[in-house]
Amino acid sequence: MSEMLILGGHLIDPAQGIDGPRDLLVRDGRIAAVEVSGGPAAVARSLPKELQIDAAGLVVAPGLVDIHVHLREPGQTWKETIRTGTAAAAAGGFTTVVAMPNTTPVNDSVETLAWMLAAERGAAVKLLAMPAATLGSMGREITDFRRLVEAGAVGFTDDGKPVLEDDVMRAALVAAAELGVPVSQHAEDTTLTGGCSMNAGRVAFRLGLRGMPAEAESRIVERDIRLLREIERTNGVRPHLHVQHVSTAKALAAIRAAKAEGLHVTCEAAPHHFTLTEDAVGDYCTNAKMNPPLRAESDRLAVVEALLDGTVDCIATDHAPHASHEKEVEFERAPNGITGLETALGLALRVLHRERGMPLARVMALMSAQPAEVIGLRERGTLQLGSYADVVIFDAGAEWNYAARESRSRSKNTPFDGAALLGRVRATICEGRVVYRG
Amino acid sequence: MSKPAASDASPYECGSLLTVEHLSVADVAEILATTARLERMAAAERARVLVGRTIALLFYESSTRTRTSFELAAKSLGATTTLVSDKSSSIEKGESLKDTGLTLRALGAEAIVLRHAASGAPFLLARATGLPVLNAGDGMHQHPSQALLDLRTILTRLELGGGTSQVSESRPGAPGSEAVHAKTLGGVTVVIAGDILHSRVARSNAMLLPRVGARVVLCGPEELLPEEALGLGAGIEGAGSLEIERDFDRALRRADVVMMLRIQRERLAGVALDLTEYCARYQLTGERLAAAGPQLLVMHPGPMIRGLEITDDAADGPQSAIEEQVAHGLAVRRALLVRALGVRV
C-alpha cells in the first residue's frame, strides 16, 4: 500500500463543485479521501513527512487533460518522443494526453496503436491516442474503428488534414457513433488553402504570402454539421463531431447554432488562438506558423467569447514540436505547428482568468473535466473518491516568464519564449506518482 | 497580450535593405544623394570605392536586369563579386538558405544580394548570417531597389528634387539638388496597373511613393487586386495616399505616371483570368496613351510581355521611361552596395 497526503491546498474540482480548502489522501494511485483542511480522518493518519505534500497557498486540481498533442513517435523522433513529450506534459500540469495519428507510419492500425501505448515507450503521464479516421489519413477508406476502439482508441481523426469527402466523413461519423467515440475533425477546406501559409487578409497581403480564408474552416464545420443532422435523421444513431482548434468567428457561430439545435458537437480552442493574432508573424516568424493559422483580432476575440460563453468545450494545445533546422527556413517552406504543453495553463490563467475574469474553476474545467468528457474518459479529470490520483498543484498567482531553452520537449518551437505567464506548476501527480516537481 | 516577446534591438545589420518599410524618408534622401554623388564621380575614382571588398550575389530565381545591374554596379565600384545560383550550386543538393549564407560568409562575403522565390527569405538570411542583405526581390513581397530606382526615374523625368543631378552642387536651388522629403511628390499621381496581387514591385512602390508625397492609385481587376491591398497604406508617414480604382481609363485621366505590371503566370496558381477581356480593360495602348495626354510618363519594371499588358507603341514611344529605369537601376544599386558596406562617399 502506498499513500500520499496533499495538505492545506485550495482544492478546485469542477466535477464535484468543490472550490475551497481541502486535504487530499491518495492511496495506491487513487483518491482515497477528500476532506476539509484539518479534518479528522486524513490528518489523523499523520503520514511520515516524506509522504506529505504541503500545498498551503497553492491550488490543488485535477491533472490537466490535453486531447490534442503530437508526440511524433513512431518515426519522427528527432522532433519529439513519447518520453520527452509526456515529460513536457507533466511540466505543464497535464496528466493525460491524447496523441494524434500523423506519425510515421500513420497510426491507422492496431499494431501501431499498441506500440504507441506500450509501457516501453516510457510515457510520464497517461497516454491515450486517436488513430487515423482513414487508412494512411488519405481520406478515402475508414480504418477498422471497432478493433481500434477495443485496443484503446478514444476517437478518430486525420488531424493535419481534413476528411474532405462527404461519403467518407459520413461513414466515419456513423461508425464512431456506433462505438460511442467522437470523430475529431481538422476543419480545413483544402481546395481554398493551396499554397497558403498564414491567415488571409491585410497582413498576408503586405507580406506577400498567400492567405487561408476563414471560410476554409467554417465551410467544413458547416458541412460536418449538415452530415450530423442527416445521420441522426436517417441512421438512427447520434454521432459526435469534435471540431479541433477552432480559430474563426464564422466556425464558432456554426458550432453555437448546432449546439442550440441539439446536435452532438463539441470543440476545442488552442491557447495560441486566444492569445495571439496574425500580427505575431512579424518578420516571417516561423514559430507563429501553424494550421489553422493565427487569425485577425476579431477572430481571437470571438474565440475568447466562445470560451467564456461555453461554446468551446475545452482547451487543447495542438502541441506540435519541430526541430529548429526544420523551422529555420523560408516561411512558406516551414512546417506548421508550435509546442504548447508547458505554456497552456499559464496563458489560460493570464488571458481568461486575470484579463477576462473567468473564474478559476471554469478555467480548470476547460482543461480537465470537460476535455475528459469529450473523449468519454472516466475516473480522470476529477478528484472524486476512487478516481485516479491525477493531480496538478500550482501557484495560481505566480508570474513568470517562459524560457523555451528549459523546455522538457525535444523541440523549442514556441512563439512564447520569454512570454509572461500566470500560474506556475509546483507538482504534477499521475496515478499517485509525482511526475514533475517545479 | 497579442504579441510574443521580442527583443528591442533590430536583428538586422543596419546596411541591410529588406523592405522599403525599414526606410525613413531621410534614408531615402540619403540613398538618392549617394546615388547622385557616385554618378558624378570620375569612373576611375568610383572604381576605388569598394576595392578589396567582397559581395555575393545569391540568386534563387531567374533575373536579367536586377542581377546584371547589381553585378555591374559592384564591379564599377571595384568590389569582387561572386554569383551563386540555385541551378549550379549545392542548393540543388538540398543545402538550406541558412547554410548557404553561412558558407558565403565563411568565404569572405561582406554583403549578400538575394533574389528568392519565397517571400521573407532575405529576413531569414539576414538573421542567420548577421551580414547586410540586400533584397533583390523576394516572392510576392518586396523589391526595394526597384522602388528606389522607380522613384529616381520619376524625380528625374518630372524634374523634381533628388533625381539625377546634372548640375553642380554650387547651384543649390536647381532641380535635382534638393533632398527628397515627405512632400517631394506632392500633387503627383502614380497609377500602378495590372497584376498587383503577385507583384513585389507594386508592393514596394505602393509603400515607398506615398512616403514622399505621391498619390498612388492601384488599378486592376478584383482577382489581381484584392481590397486588402489598401493595407499597404497603413502606417505610412508622409503626405501621400493610396487608393484603388478599377477603371483604367478613369485612372489614367488623373495620372502623371503609369507603371505597368506583367501578369505573373508562374504565380497565378488557380486564378482564372480571361486574357482577352483583361487586355480590353487594362492593356496600355497608343490610343489610351493619347487619350491620357502627352504628360503621362510610362514605366514598366520588366520583363514586359508585349501585346499583353502593353503594346509596342506605348512601350517604345517618347513618353516611355522604361530604358531609363534600367539605367537608374545601375546607379541606385551602387548606392545600396556602398550603404550596405558602410562606406561613406
Side-chain angles (χ1 to χ4, degrees):
Chain A
M1 192 175 79
S2 72
E3 290 190 322
M4 178 193 289
L5 201 52
I6 302 166
L7 285 167
H10 182 102
L11 192 141
I12 295 178
D13 186 12
Q16 300 185 80
I18 298 175
D19 190 347
R22 295 287 191 285
D23 295 337
L24 200 61
L25 178 67
V26 172
R27 183 183 300 136
D28 293 336
R30 302 270 182 168
I31 304 294
V34 181
E35 297 198 351
V36 174
S37 281
V43 176
R45 297 188 167 276
S46 62
L47 286 172
K49 274 278 179 237
E50 65 269 21
L51 297 178
Q52 295 186 15
I53 292 179
D54 178 10
L58 304 176
V59 170
V60 177
L64 308 181
V65 176
D66 189 346
I67 63 171
H68 191 152
V69 302
H70 299 268
L71 300 180
R72 307 302 188 200
E73 216 179 358
Q76 299 155 19
T77 51
W78 67 92
K79 298 173 192 270
E80 191 79 287
T81 64
I82 287 170
R83 193 180 295 274
T84 57
T86 54
F94 290 91
T95 52
T96 300
V97 293
V98 178
M100 294 294 109
N102 59 338
T103 47
T104 312
V106 170
N107 178 20
D108 61 0
S109 69
V110 168
E111 292 69 32
T112 304
L113 176 61
W115 187 92
M116 284 171 76
L117 299 182
E120 294 76 42
R121 300 290 85 73
V125 303
K126 179 64 182 175
L127 174 63
L128 300 169
M130 280 196 196
T134 67
L135 290 172
S137 285
M138 298 302 284
R140 286 196 277 276
E141 193 184 336
I142 67 168
T143 53
D144 190 340
F145 281 20
R146 186 168 298 278
R147 282 192 65 218
L148 286 162
V149 166
E150 284 163 8
V154 297
F156 295 91
T157 182
D158 281 350
D159 180 42
K161 299 181 194 175
V163 181
L164 268 192
E165 295 297 324
D166 286 14
D167 289 346
V168 179
M169 188 60 182
R170 187 181 290 113
L173 285 166
V174 170
E178 286 165 353
L179 297 163
V181 295
V183 174
S184 198
Q185 176 77 294
H186 169 110
E188 177 187 357
D189 185 343
T190 49
T191 64
L192 299 178
T193 57
C196 296
S197 55
M198 69 172 295
N199 185 43
R202 287 185 166 201
V203 179
F205 190 91
R206 182 171 58 77
L207 293 174
L209 296 171
R210 298 176 194 276
M212 306 185 194
E215 291 72 24
E217 180 173 89
S218 59
R219 273 199 207 174
I220 295 296
V221 171
E222 287 158 11
R223 189 281 309 259
D224 288 347
I225 288 167
R226 175 172 60 75
L227 291 176
L228 286 187
R229 204 179 288 130
E230 288 173 14
I231 291 167
E232 279 206 10
R233 207 179 307 132
T234 58
N235 296 64
V237 289
R238 188 170 151 75
H240 175 188
L241 170 72
H242 178 72
V243 187
Q244 299 181 317
H245 42 49
V246 186
S247 65
T248 61
K250 271 195 171 142
L252 287 164
I255 292 165
R256 196 175 279 121
K259 286 186 164 196
E261 188 185 333
L263 296 168
H264 193 186
V265 181
T266 56
C267 70
E268 70 194 31
H272 46 271
H273 286 132
F274 63 76
T275 55
L276 298 177
T277 68
E278 57 194 346
D279 290 332
V281 172
D283 290 348
Y284 303 90
C285 171
T286 58
N287 285 338
K289 181 182 177 184
M290 68 290 290
N291 186 7
L294 298 174
R295 302 283 189 181
E297 176 68 359
S298 55
D299 285 314
R300 183 187 78 85
L301 291 173
V303 174
V304 172
E305 288 309 319
L307 282 156
L308 291 168
D309 75 14
T311 301
V312 172
D313 298 89
C314 63
I315 292 169
T317 65
D318 194 5
H319 177 81
H322 292 291
S324 58
H325 73 265
E326 296 171 303
K327 278 291 201 179
E328 217 178 334
V329 297
E330 297 85 334
F331 191 84
E332 289 160 288
R333 287 184 57 198
N336 287 308
I338 59 169
T339 59
L341 284 163
E342 295 173 332
T343 46
L345 178 64
L347 292 169
L349 290 176
R350 187 186 155 106
V351 172
L352 300 177
H353 176 57
R354 175 176 283 178
E355 292 175 14
R356 299 304 300 267
M358 181 186 280
L360 208 48
R362 284 268 299 121
V363 178
M364 300 325 293
L366 282 165
M367 300 187 76
S368 56
Q370 291 179 202
E373 193 184 331
V374 167
I375 57 167
L377 191 59
R378 291 174 204 287
E379 305 184 311
R380 296 185 196 270
T382 175
L383 299 175
Q384 271 161 352
L385 274 183
S387 293
Y388 287 103
D390 289 355
V391 187
V392 59
I393 301 171
F394 64 97
D395 180 349
E399 295 181 39
W400 60 296
N401 293 88
Y402 183 62
R405 68 179 182 281
E406 288 164 20
S407 176
R408 266 83 178 160
S409 170
R410 180 157 281 187
S411 295
K412 320 291 172 197
N413 52 309
T414 171
F416 298 112
D417 191 18
L421 302 180
L422 177 66
R424 185 145 210 185
V425 176
R426 297 299 179 202
T428 306
I429 296 159
C430 185
E431 297 182 12
R433 288 173 295 112
V434 176
V435 292
Y436 174 79
R437 285 304 288 249
Chain B
M1 62 191 303
S2 60
K3 275 191 178 175
S7 73
D8 293 338
S10 167
Y12 310 111
E13 213 280 340
C14 62
S16 284
L17 180 52
L18 306 174
T19 162
V20 298
E21 285 178 90
H22 290 172
L23 292 177
S24 66
V25 173
D27 291 331
V28 175
E30 178 59 33
I31 290 166
L32 293 181
T34 305
T35 305
R37 280 198 295 276
L38 286 165
E39 202 168 51
R40 282 195 303 270
M41 256 182 211
E45 185 191 351
R46 199 157 58 213
R48 288 193 295 272
V49 172
L50 295 183
V51 82
R53 310 298 299 266
T54 305
I55 294 162
L57 306 167
L58 180 52
F59 276 67
Y60 283 74
E61 217 184 34
S62 54
S63 163
T64 303
R65 268 158 295 274
T66 306
R67 200 197 79 194
T68 311
S69 63
F70 264 117
E71 188 171 356
L72 291 175
K75 291 193 160 127
S76 75
L77 296 165
T80 300
T81 62
T82 180
L83 171 69
V84 178
S85 87
D86 57 335
K87 300 293 184 315
S88 58
S89 68
S90 288
I91 296 163
E92 273 198 325
K93 302 173 192 165
E95 187 163 38
S96 70
L97 177 59
K98 173 184 172 177
D99 286 332
T100 304
L102 293 176
T103 301
L104 292 173
R105 189 180 69 180
L107 288 168
E110 296 168 272
I112 302 175
V113 178
L114 177 68
R115 159 71 60 98
H116 201 292
S119 297
F123 289 84
L124 170 68
L125 185 69
R127 283 192 296 259
T129 62
L131 291 177
V133 169
L134 298 179
N135 182 355
D138 62 328
M140 311 187 315
H141 175 230
Q142 282 276 313
H143 197 351
S145 64
Q146 179 73 42
L148 288 164
L149 75 88
D150 287 340
L151 170 59
R152 190 165 197 257
T153 305
I154 294 168
L155 293 170
T156 307
R157 281 291 283 251
L158 301 187
E159 300 187 2
L160 297 162
T164 314
S165 181
Q166 305 293 352
V167 294
S168 77
E169 282 176 296
S170 59
R171 289 173 55 200
S177 63
E178 191 191 338
V180 170
H181 55 81
K183 288 181 182 161
T184 299
L185 289 185
V188 174
T189 298
V190 179
V191 171
I192 307 178
D195 184 358
I196 311 285
L197 175 62
H198 301 108
S199 175
R200 52 199 177 208
V201 175
R203 283 177 180 76
S204 302
N205 273 306
M207 295 175 118
L208 179 68
L209 299 179
R211 288 182 184 210
V212 290
R215 175 209 297 265
V216 170
V217 179
L218 302 175
C219 185
E222 188 79 44
E223 309 92 282
L224 299 177
L225 174 54
E227 290 290 323
E228 0 353 330
L230 288 176
L232 297 175
I236 288 176
E237 24 130 0
S241 62
L242 184 68
E243 61 191 271
I244 286 177
E245 166 62 65
R246 304 268 173 212
D247 185 315
F248 192 32
D249 294 300
R250 201 153 54 209
L252 286 179
R253 279 199 289 278
R254 304 156 55 192
D256 301 290
V257 178
V258 61
M259 290 185 182
M260 299 307 298
L261 300 172
R262 172 177 72 95
I263 301 268
Q264 300 200 31
R265 288 171 190 269
E266 71 274 27
R267 298 190 221 270
L268 271 182
V271 178
L273 201 65
D274 180 336
L275 286 182
T276 311
E277 197 209 324
Y278 179 82
C279 288
R281 290 177 66 192
Y282 295 104
Q283 187 180 57
L284 187 65
T285 60
E287 297 95 88
R288 279 203 162 105
L289 207 48
Q295 83 296 335
L296 181 63
L297 188 64
V298 176
M299 296 173 66
H300 195 305
M304 280 187 282
I305 310 296
R306 290 172 184 260
L308 212 163
E309 74 272 10
I310 193 164
T311 58
D312 286 340
D313 48 351
D316 301 329
Q319 287 165 255
S320 168
I322 295 171
E323 283 181 37
E324 288 158 63
Q325 286 175 270
V326 178
H328 284 299
L330 181 66
V332 165
R333 285 169 182 136
R334 276 195 205 113
L336 293 177
L337 291 169
V338 164
R339 176 177 181 266
L341 293 176
V343 174
R344 295 200 64 86
V345 294

